[in-house]
């Protein structure tokens, strides 16, 4: 509010784009494009004039009763939005939301003007990521103003579609709003397909034991949550448009179109919710598989340790058995003159029998203890 009011009092215009990108991975500013993408006056379902400026559009609109202005802006400067707000009497709160950006999907009505925030999405095949964009739409009795902050949705395609259907365009700003919402919802289909493909790839990674899958699941979960935030409010928003049809002059045909868009939005919302549940299940399965692999590795290491211990016991037992005759032989191999057994006629057999007896006793002891 303070920023809007300061400019209305004649403050300096900011040269930087006022919006905040809705794509968390966006690190570079897009190439510069003209702020006003298209500026047209329509009458009776046909393009009647192409004003050269926003001020001209406002003047032509006053000079042509029963006409409708459709102004498309791409990343406008703050002072341009303020000037537009002054010309078309846009509410300060709605104008502030359009300047600051980073709004959740919503529909707010300020008198005769409806302010709608939409979150468009598109799937980037090369990066296997979802890029999000923010779109603001001002819908008045005789004008539609779109403020686009990202590449999606393709509003030029929406304009071409409406111009090719004069009967629909003849129904005025509410019909244009329907076409814009329809384009945003239709743009979700490739995103749903891309996320489905990513989840299938992740499932294959999980069961193949890929250790990097946890990071990919975490990143994809963030995109799914962001996608859910973009799609979940749409169903209630569209139903609100339908509920207000008698008051704001939506005919039966347009209501049918809106109900069709609501059905598509419900389908997308349900798919996104299922994706989130599937990713949670994948995390559980991956955690279980990792735990099982760790348990199997620990069991293998324990088995190897036990086997190694058995081998050490056998080696130690045989070392003790072989050490006994070595000890006896060493004692009687010292060749001292005063060793009675060395001059005894039965000394050699005695020493041999003694070594054999010690080895036999040790063997029996180790055998009983399962060391051999």
């Amino acid at each position: 509010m303070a920023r809007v009011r300061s400019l209305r009092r004649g403050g300096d215009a900011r040269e930087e784009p006022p919006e905040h990108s809705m794509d968390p991975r966006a690190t570079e500013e897009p190439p510069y494009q003209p702020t006003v993408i298209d500026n047209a006056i329509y009458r009776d379902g046909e393009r009647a004039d192409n004003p050269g400026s926003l001020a001209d559009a406002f003047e032509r609109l006053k000079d042509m009763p029963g006409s409708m202005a459709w102004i498309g802006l791409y990343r406008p400067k703050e002072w341009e939005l303020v000037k537009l707000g002054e010309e078309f009497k846009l509410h300060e709160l709605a104008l502030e939301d359009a300047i600051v950006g980073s709004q959740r999907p919503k529909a707010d009505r300020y008198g005769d003007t409806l302010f709608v925030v939409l979150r468009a999405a598109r799937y980037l095949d090369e990066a296997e990521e979802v890029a999000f964009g923010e779109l603001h739409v001002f819908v008045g009795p005789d004008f539609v103003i779109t403020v686009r902050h990202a590449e999606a949705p393709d509003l030029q395609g929406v304009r071409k579609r409406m111009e090719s259907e004069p009967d629909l365009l003849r129904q005025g700003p509410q019909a244009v709003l329907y076409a814009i919402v329809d384009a945003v919802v239709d743009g979700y289909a490739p995103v749903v397909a891309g996320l489905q493909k990513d989840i299938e790839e992740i499932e294959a990674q999980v069961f193949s034991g890929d250790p990097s899958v946890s990071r990919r699941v975490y990143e994809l979960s963030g995109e799914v949550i962001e996608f859910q935030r973009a799609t979940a409010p749409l169903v209630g928003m569209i139903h609100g448009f339908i509920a207000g049809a008698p008051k704001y002059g939506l005919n039966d045909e347009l209501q049918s179109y809106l109900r069709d868009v609501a059905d598509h939005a419900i389908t997308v919302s349900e798919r996104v919710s299922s994706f989130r549940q599937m990713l949670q299940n994948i995390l559980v399965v991956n955690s279980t598989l990792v735990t099982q692999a760790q348990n199997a590795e620990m069991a293998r290491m324990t088995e190897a340790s036990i086997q190694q211990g058995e081998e050490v016991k056998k080696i130690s037992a045989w070392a003790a058995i072989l050490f006994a005759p070595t000890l006896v032989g060493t004692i009687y191999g010292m060749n001292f003159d005063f060793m009675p057994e060395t001059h005894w006629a039965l000394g050699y057999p005695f020493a041999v029998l003694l070594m054999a007896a010690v080895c036999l006793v040790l063997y029996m002891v180790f055998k009983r203890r399962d060391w051999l």
Side-chain angles (χ1 to χ4, degrees), residues 290-302:
V290 170
T291 302
Q292 290 178 349
Q294 291 176 343
N295 291 340
E297 181 66 18
M298 291 179 64
R300 188 191 66 79
M301 294 178 63
T302 301

Side-chain angles (χ1 to χ4, degrees), residues 21-27 119 129-133 219 222-223 226:
S21 173
M22 298 306 296
D23 182 1
R25 291 172 297 280
T27 57
R119 295 288 306 283
E129 295 177 345
V130 180
F132 298 94
E219 293 174 348
E223 293 180 355
E226 190 72 15

Side-chain angles (χ1 to χ4, degrees), residues 8-259:
R8 290 187 175 183
R9 288 193 297 267
D12 294 336
R14 294 169 59 92
E15 292 300 324
E16 299 177 355
E19 71 284 342
H20 302 284
S21 173
M22 298 306 296
D23 182 1
R25 291 172 297 280
T27 57
E28 297 181 357
E29 287 293 329
Y32 173 76
Q33 295 188 20
T35 297
V36 181
I37 302 300
D38 206 339
N39 182 11
I41 302 295
Y42 295 90
R43 189 171 186 177
D44 196 27
E46 301 289 342
R47 184 186 285 249
D49 199 357
N50 299 292
S53 66
L54 299 179
D56 289 342
F58 183 70
E59 293 300 326
R60 302 284 175 81
L61 189 62
K62 291 192 299 183
D63 296 338
M64 300 173 64
S67 60
M68 176 189 71
W70 185 353
I71 302 171
L73 305 178
Y74 178 77
R75 294 182 179 269
K77 304 295 189 296
E78 181 175 323
W79 65 267
E80 292 175 307
L81 286 175
V82 172
K83 184 65 176 177
L84 196 67
E86 293 175 349
E87 296 286 357
F88 288 91
K89 304 298 186 293
L90 303 180
H91 196 278
E92 288 186 349
L93 293 178
L95 194 61
E96 182 183 13
D97 287 344
I99 291 174
V100 175
S102 300
Q103 304 295 316
R104 62 177 180 82
K106 63 178 181 177
D108 295 331
R109 186 168 291 279
Y110 301 95
D112 293 334
T113 302
L114 178 65
F115 175 64
V116 179
V117 179
L118 300 172
R119 295 288 306 283
R122 59 194 180 106
Y123 187 79
L124 307 179
D125 290 318
E126 294 184 1
E128 293 187 338
E129 295 177 345
V130 180
F132 298 94
E134 187 170 346
L135 173 66
H136 299 155
V137 185
F138 295 90
V139 182
D142 55 359
F143 65 86
V144 176
I145 301 171
T146 60
V147 181
R148 186 160 54 96
H149 296 293
E151 296 301 321
D154 181 14
L155 296 185
Q156 286 295 96
V158 174
R159 191 183 290 266
K160 290 179 180 178
R161 172 200 170 185
M162 294 297 290
E163 290 179 350
S164 66
E165 301 181 30
D167 290 340
L168 182 59
L169 184 57
R170 192 175 291 115
Q171 298 181 38
Q174 298 293 338
V176 175
L177 176 61
Y178 146 73
I180 292 173
V181 176
D182 186 44
V184 171
V185 175
D186 286 347
Y188 292 151
V191 180
V192 171
L195 291 176
Q196 179 68 51
K197 180 182 176 182
D198 288 344
I199 290 176
E200 291 174 354
E201 292 176 354
I202 286 175
E203 289 175 341
Q205 284 182 276
V206 167
F207 290 105
S208 66
D210 189 342
S212 64
V213 69
S214 297
R215 180 180 181 86
R216 190 176 181 189
V217 172
Y218 175 79
E219 293 174 348
L220 188 59
S221 296
E223 293 180 355
V224 169
I225 291 172
E226 190 72 15
F227 193 27
Q228 191 173 36
R229 290 174 179 170
T231 58
L234 282 179
V235 177
M237 185 189 304
I238 298 171
H239 285 161
F241 296 158
I242 297 173
K247 182 177 180 180
Y248 297 103
L250 276 70
N251 60 27
D252 294 339
E253 181 183 12
L254 197 53
Q255 292 181 53
S256 299
Y257 289 155
L258 286 173
R259 277 190 288 269

Side-chain angles (χ1 to χ4, degrees), residues 313-323 363 366 372:
K313 285 163 57 176
K314 290 181 181 180
I315 293 173
S316 300
W318 285 112
I321 292 172
L322 295 176
F323 178 72
Y363 179 82
F366 290 135
L372 294 174

